[in-house]
Amino acid sequence: MIEVEALTKRYGSTTAVDGLTFTARPGTVTGFLGPNGAGKSTTMRMVVGLERPTSGSATVAGQRYADLPAPLHAVGVMLDTRSVHPGRTAYKHLLAMAQTHGIGKARVREVIAQTGLEPAAHRRAGTFSLGMGQRLGIAGALLGDPATLILDEPVNGLDPDGVLWIRRLVRDLAAEGRTVLLSSHLMHELALCADRVVIIGRGRLLADATVQEIVARSERAGTVRVRTTEPEALARELLAAGAQVAPQDGGALQVRGVSVDDVGTAAGRCGATVLELGSESGSLEEAYLQLTGDAVEYRAAGTQGGAR
Amino acid sequence: MSATSTTLGTARAAAATRPGPTFARLMTAEWTKLTSLRSPWWVAGVTVAVAALITYLSAQASSGDPGFQPLDSLPSGLILAQVGPLVLGVLAGAGEFRTGAFRTTFTLAPRRWPVLAAQALSLTAFALATAVLATAACVVGLMPAVASRDITVDLTAGDTPGVLLGMVLLLVGLALFGFAVGVLLRRTVPAMLTALFLVLILPIVLMMASEPMVGGADTASLSSPDQVEQVGVLGTLVVASPGGAAQLMTTPASFGPMPGSPDLGPVGGGLVFGAWILVLLVAAAVRLRTRDVR
């Protein structure tokens, strides 16, 4: 269980995290989502005690991280692939981690096998690809068999095999009753493995809901798309029936407030030939872009209008 | 991945007591970390080799003198070899921060300062072994010159045991000094330059500045003995600087003080240098404890 309450971090005049409150519960995968620079990593660093909050609190299993008697057994942490000395082999890195908590070599070999690192175990971490580095980070997080896992962008740099592996791993870990907090800037990635999604932008909470709830918030969700030979006539007919109509390219209309059946019937009434008709479900990606649209800190100048 | 749940389940049951990072465990881990890198071994090897080589060359050069005293050449090998432990210390201290490995280290031991103590102790052990070997290498380096002149040397007589001990402690101290500067500054290059400046360059600058000629004294007063004996501010600064104090550790007590400096002797020099190390380590610990690590 991770509880973050009114967490705030300021560096001089910039506010990296601004009054953030959310809870990651046992048995669920909580996705932590936001554009680059939104404050995800800063929040995670505060949760594990590397940085001190300006105000607010973050606790793991009801305790401040710094007060945990055995952090490695309580929380598995993977913050950044650059948390390993590049001159040390994967095995020695994990062994030194294990030794701080009196964990034996057998367990080190176990997590190496579990993360598929055997062929690279005795290579220096500096020679690793991004994907191998991620596996090493995850091996370190699993080492203490913790009830809570905090993984910062674990999918970054993994090949398709690795991505599937991670999804299954976090699902399995949550199914065992563990708390998993998983950050990403890729919405669709979290849609596939997270139960709940906490979305932040510019350090503030934008949404904290289940994946389905967030999809439902998409502007497109619940609308009907229809393409016809007589868009104007159909639009008049639909407006008369109390629908909201937005004309789109190629004679298509986006209709809100009526069902697919209603649109089909209306087309029949005004004699418009329907070329295409269907309800739209919206996507997580869209909902995410709408939520974070105003909160993106870095954006290419040219895409400013087009991205909306 | 059906094995995942079972292995995790068994491990969880086995680790029922789940004790945390005790100091002994941190020591074990830090020793593993230090010795699993290649650079400490390289630096140690080069230090020992350079100590032997420079002592050999220095003894050979002075063996032609009629009053050749082989044991006077003993600490000469350290003039260059002392850079080794300094580099070792800086790399050990700043390396964690340079590479980001500190994130792993301090999430495992969030109280942080016990890690610093464990790192300092592991480094001390490693540096002590290196220092003993380097000092032995200096003795070995002396032997060809000794043999060529048919002189016998007695390492147990006079100032020699003190000098040998001073050499070992100097090298260990330099490693700790470099370590403290490395942890404090957290970046390898600035830490390396700072440590080298404080230990090697600053004493020379102060010594040159304390020369009476530079101070504008007239030549007549130079010849008067009491002028030479006088302890000056700059002369005091020389032996109070970390490098100046450290060099006293290998200067035999019977040599007396440097002109214009208070007579600290090898023990006094060692204490001043030790105090510098302690102050820097405490400063590093305070910074580590009170500031964020990013």
Side-chain angles (χ1 to χ4, degrees), chain A residues 9 52 65 83 99 145, chain B residues 12 32 38 104 107 289 292:
Chain A
K9 180 72 183 178
R52 220 166 287 226
Y65 186 90
S83 302
Q99 283 170 337
D145 186 28
Chain B
R12 175 176 274 191
T32 302
R38 294 194 293 196
T104 302
T107 47
R289 191 95 177 98
D292 290 341

Side-chain angles (χ1 to χ4, degrees), chain B residues 89-152:
Chain B
V90 168
L91 289 178
E96 290 254 304
F97 294 99
R98 176 179 63 86
T99 61
F102 70 88
R103 292 191 196 96
T104 302
T105 305
F106 296 129
T107 47
L108 293 173
R111 287 166 69 212
R112 298 184 196 167
W113 72 262
V115 173
L116 190 69
Q119 285 178 341
L121 272 176
S122 311
L123 179 69
T124 303
F126 192 89
L128 183 64
T130 308
V132 168
L133 288 175
T135 305
C138 289
V139 174
V140 171
L142 218 53
M143 289 310 154
V146 171
S148 70
R149 289 287 299 270
D150 229 14
I151 315 172
T152 54

Side-chain angles (χ1 to χ4, degrees), chain A residues 200-289:
Chain A
I200 66 169
R202 287 192 185 161
R204 288 169 195 250
L205 185 71
L206 298 177
D208 178 1
T210 64
V211 172
Q212 292 74 20
E213 284 166 1
I214 288 175
V215 171
R217 281 190 212 177
S218 163
E219 255 175 38
R220 214 153 57 95
T223 63
V224 176
R225 178 184 155 85
V226 57
R227 195 155 62 84
T228 170
T229 49
E230 316 287 342
E232 287 87 4
L234 179 57
R236 272 195 302 276
E237 190 68 34
L238 287 168
L239 286 168
Q244 294 156 274
V245 181
Q248 292 184 319
D249 295 344
L253 299 171
Q254 194 181 38
V255 189
R256 186 184 293 275
V258 290
S259 69
V260 177
D261 292 5
D262 295 340
V263 176
T265 316
R269 271 203 305 275
C270 68
T273 306
V274 172
L275 304 171
E276 190 187 325
L277 176 62
S279 67
E280 299 212 89
S281 58
S283 76
L284 206 44
E285 203 74 38
E286 268 182 355
Y288 170 54
L289 285 175

Side-chain angles (χ1 to χ4, degrees), chain A residues 1-2 24-30 60 72-76 107 110-111 114 141-151 169-182 193 195, chain B residues 3-13 15 18:
Chain A
M1 174 95 110
I2 302 168
R25 292 187 177 77
T28 57
V29 177
T30 306
V60 182
L72 185 58
H73 290 310
V75 190
R107 176 67 185 155
E110 218 171 85
V111 294
Q114 196 184 339
L142 294 174
L143 200 51
D145 186 28
T148 300
L149 285 111
I150 296 178
L151 309 173
L169 179 72
V170 296
R171 296 291 346 153
D172 286 351
L173 291 168
E176 290 167 28
R178 297 174 210 253
T179 308
V180 183
L181 180 67
L182 177 82
C193 61
D195 305 297
Chain B
T4 310
S5 50
T6 43
T7 48
L8 283 170
T10 347
R12 175 176 274 191
R18 304 199 159 205

Side-chain angles (χ1 to χ4, degrees), chain B residues 50-63 73 76 141-142 145:
Chain B
V50 166
L53 183 70
I54 302 292
T55 313
Y56 168 76
L57 293 175
S58 160
Q60 286 291 327
S62 46
S63 67
S73 301
S76 61
L142 218 53

